[in-house]
Amino acid sequence: MNHASPPVSVCPVCRCDRATQYHQDSRVRLVRCASCGLKYQSPMPTLEALSALYASQEYYDGQYFPAQFAERKAMFAHRLAALEPLTGGPGRVLEVGCGRGQFLEAALERGWSACGQEFAEQTVEVLKGTVPAAELAYGVFPEECPFPDASFDLVHLNHVLEHFFEPMEALSRVWGLLKPGGVLYCEVPRQSNLQNTLSNLLGRKDFAVHYMLEHLCYFEAKSMTRALEGSGFAPLSIRIEGMGDPHRFVRGVHYTSPWTHLMALVVGGLKLQGPLGGGNLVAVARKKEPR
């Protein structure tokens, strides 16, 4: 493995110094924390390696498919409708990691004042054309976040927290950005050795999955709860979503054969992603004020 960083000595969430190896291949080595159960890379890739990956056109094109855009925007509108009773209606929202801007579009259309921060400069340039009404910032979060404290009613982290070397620092900055009683939506991918094995065996190129270099941490409910509570949040809900939930995939986009499409519907309909270790972990939490 082409890692320059030394092995990680403590868990990025709970700081426990005991972990067992969970997975190793030519690209990544994962260990599992003995205390909170977080799976994390050890050693971590270097910032230089990740920066080069995020800046590549291949990575950008591989993450976003135009045929999915309308469905993703509908998913985000559905999500905002569910969150608005918690925030008292549309207010000011920050998205960290904006992708192609479907969340910002949905937020603006629902009457939110929308802001976004992106790590990749070329992504910001694209977003200026697609969501010109959004206030956009470029830089590393949380170190280069330009927005003032206590200025947001909602912060949206959609498949972002797993990319941070220090997720607790990111969550602490989110806590500071939120107004008193503000809401955090945080979604991360779930992945397990069992899911990988079955996906690669049964699904071939449609379902074939592997651990990604850029995914530094993998959360479950226990480790997510520890992370949220440790950074000043009161979890309101933590659940698993995926295939079978509203707007989670589009026919003909993800799967090349009717067989794998049918298998996706069965897995989603029976909610098998939970026990298999797949799907997405969705957490909604409210900012607590210090005692």
Side-chain angles (χ1 to χ4, degrees), residues 117-132:
Q117 179 162 353
E118 258 295 334
F119 177 78
E121 188 172 10
Q122 67 267 33
T123 303
V124 174
E125 293 305 311
V126 172
L127 291 170
K128 287 178 181 179
T130 56
V131 282

Side-chain angles (χ1 to χ4, degrees), residues 162-208:
E162 70 274 13
H163 291 262
F164 288 110
F165 290 103
E166 295 291 347
M168 298 300 286
E169 291 183 5
L171 289 174
S172 294
R173 182 69 183 113
V174 169
W175 185 94
L177 289 165
L178 284 167
K179 298 175 183 178
V183 173
L184 164 66
Y185 179 98
C186 180
E187 179 177 315
V188 293
R190 298 175 74 240
Q191 201 165 343
S192 71
N193 289 342
L194 175 61
Q195 177 215 18
N196 285 13
T197 299
L198 292 177
S199 297
N200 296 338
L201 177 66
L202 299 175
R204 298 174 184 161
K205 66 179 180 180
D206 280 314
F207 281 149

Side-chain angles (χ1 to χ4, degrees), residues 19 25-26 76 130 136 148 159 179 201-202 211 241-242 278 281:
D25 60 35
S26 61
F76 292 135
T130 56
L136 301 170
H159 290 246
K179 298 175 183 178
L201 177 66
L202 299 175
Y211 293 106
E241 287 190 7
L281 190 70

Side-chain angles (χ1 to χ4, degrees), residues 39-71:
K39 293 176 287 193
Y40 57 94
Q41 288 195 45
S42 179
M44 294 278 188
T46 63
L47 179 59
E48 291 75 17
L50 291 178
S51 298
L53 175 66
Y54 294 141
S56 68
Q57 191 65 40
E58 181 182 5
Y59 176 83
Y60 189 74
D61 291 340
Q63 297 296 308
Y64 309 108
F65 304 98
Q68 293 177 308
F69 288 177
E71 193 70 11

Side-chain angles (χ1 to χ4, degrees), residues 191-235:
Q191 201 165 343
S192 71
N193 289 342
L194 175 61
Q195 177 215 18
N196 285 13
T197 299
L198 292 177
S199 297
N200 296 338
L201 177 66
L202 299 175
R204 298 174 184 161
K205 66 179 180 180
D206 280 314
F207 281 149
V209 292
H210 58 273
Y211 293 106
M212 299 181 182
L213 184 68
E214 64 269 27
H215 288 180
L216 307 181
C217 301
Y218 291 91
F219 291 83
E220 294 292 345
K222 182 179 179 180
S223 51
M224 179 62 74
T225 300
R226 290 281 292 270
L228 292 172
E229 292 179 343
S231 49
F233 289 94

Side-chain angles (χ1 to χ4, degrees), residues 236-281:
L236 301 177
S237 65
I238 297 178
R239 63 188 184 276
I240 296 169
E241 287 190 7
M243 293 180 295
D245 290 296
H247 310 292
R248 283 293 179 173
F249 71 99
V250 184
R251 182 185 298 273
V253 175
H254 297 287
Y255 313 121
T256 59
S257 73
W259 160 246
T260 48
H261 183 81
L262 176 62
M263 189 159 60
L265 291 174
V266 171
V267 169
L270 296 179
K271 301 293 184 182
L272 296 178
Q273 292 171 106
L276 292 178
N280 306 291
L281 190 70

Side-chain angles (χ1 to χ4, degrees), residues 101-121:
Q102 283 82 42
F103 175 83
L104 295 175
E105 284 186 84
L108 289 165
E109 289 181 7
R110 291 188 63 84
W112 288 80
S113 174
C115 304
Q117 179 162 353
E118 258 295 334
F119 177 78
E121 188 172 10

